[in-house]
Amino acid sequence: MNQTMPENLPGRALQSRGASIAIRRAEGQVPYRDALAEMDVRNRAIAAGEASELLWLLEHPPVYTAGTSAGEGELLDPRFEVVEAGRGGRYTYHGPGQRIGYAMLDLTKRGRDVRCFVHALEGWVIDTLGDLGVESWRSEGRIGIWTRDIDGSEAKIGAIGVRVRRWITMHGFSVNIDPDLSHFAGIVPCGIAEFGVTSLARLGVTITAEEWDRALLARGEAFLNMLPENPDR
């Protein structure tokens, strides 16, 4: 059974505008289906007012996940388990060396604006990468977070995929710290065949998952403040 750090320890919550968002950091790899099941339970609990909002930072064993727009021809080599994710987007790979951030936030308190939420989530990753010395950006018409690879070409370093149910967000982002990049060859990542995939390690940035989490959380309040308030719910 996966062991996780308890929620709401001192320093284990994000504070914004009087709201407290719990932070959970998983120790060890969380099977993707288990994560889906837990997100489903948490979504219902937040909607019912029975649980706090949550940012869950974790890593999965190797898996290919299919979003609602995944095309059959984009699964090239199903060498790993393939799971229908229920989120938006197409095929994505998750595996060791990749950091996942699942954000379960209540948008009834945050403007009910899904586009704004996705934009803020992208900005959070981009700003964190910038703090680590890696320039990255959004690209019109291409989902994900992009940067300049070692050969000068544009390459994806992070993926974004979300689902919103009962105005509670699920899923979130992934960032390639030091995964086996050959594993991406089994799919057309996010349906974009003409661009490659890179990682922080490939770009010469050596960082642990814990160090990434620390850098990300340092930007957490700024991320939350990008979301509009909706006090009327």
Side-chain angles (χ1 to χ4, degrees), residues 42-231:
R42 189 67 173 228
N43 175 280
R44 297 174 190 277
I46 294 171
E50 298 169 352
S52 65
E53 298 171 291
L54 174 66
L55 173 66
W56 190 11
L57 302 170
L58 67 155
E59 183 177 284
H60 292 305
V63 63
Y64 294 134
T65 70
T68 54
S69 301
E72 183 177 347
E74 295 165 4
L75 181 60
L76 306 177
D77 176 14
R79 68 188 81 169
F80 305 120
E81 181 184 21
V82 180
V83 180
E84 292 188 8
R87 53 158 175 77
R90 299 165 92 160
Y91 279 107
T92 300
Y93 166 76
H94 294 315
Q98 185 187 73
R99 201 60 173 162
I100 310 293
Y102 290 144
M104 284 155 270
L105 302 183
D106 186 351
L107 294 189
T108 67
K109 298 188 284 189
R110 304 180 188 285
R112 290 190 174 92
D113 190 330
V114 177
R115 179 169 294 188
C116 178
F117 169 70
V118 172
H119 191 269
L121 200 63
E122 292 170 336
W124 192 10
V125 174
I126 289 169
D127 289 344
T128 302
L129 287 169
D131 291 339
L132 298 174
V134 175
E135 182 183 8
S136 61
W137 52 83
R138 306 173 183 87
S139 186
E140 187 69 27
R142 284 189 265 134
I143 299 170
I145 307 300
W146 300 82
T147 190
R148 196 67 61 192
D149 206 355
I150 57 175
D151 62 0
S153 65
E154 204 171 0
K156 176 176 281 192
I157 195 167
I160 302 288
V162 303
R163 180 182 180 186
V164 179
R165 188 180 67 188
R166 303 180 184 91
W167 288 110
I168 310 300
T169 65
M170 303 167 69
H171 299 276
F173 63 84
S174 62
V175 174
N176 299 330
I177 294 177
D178 189 16
D180 185 337
L181 295 178
S182 71
H183 290 177
F184 286 89
I187 58 171
V188 178
C190 298
I192 304 171
E194 60 268 37
F195 294 93
V197 179
T198 192
S199 67
L200 287 170
R202 179 174 164 86
L203 298 177
V205 178
T206 301
I207 188 172
T208 66
E210 183 176 358
E211 288 168 338
W212 164 264
D213 292 351
R214 190 180 304 122
L216 181 78
L217 295 175
R219 289 276 186 175
E221 185 175 345
F223 156 68
L224 292 172
N225 287 340
M226 290 179 65
L227 303 176
E229 291 185 271
N230 189 15

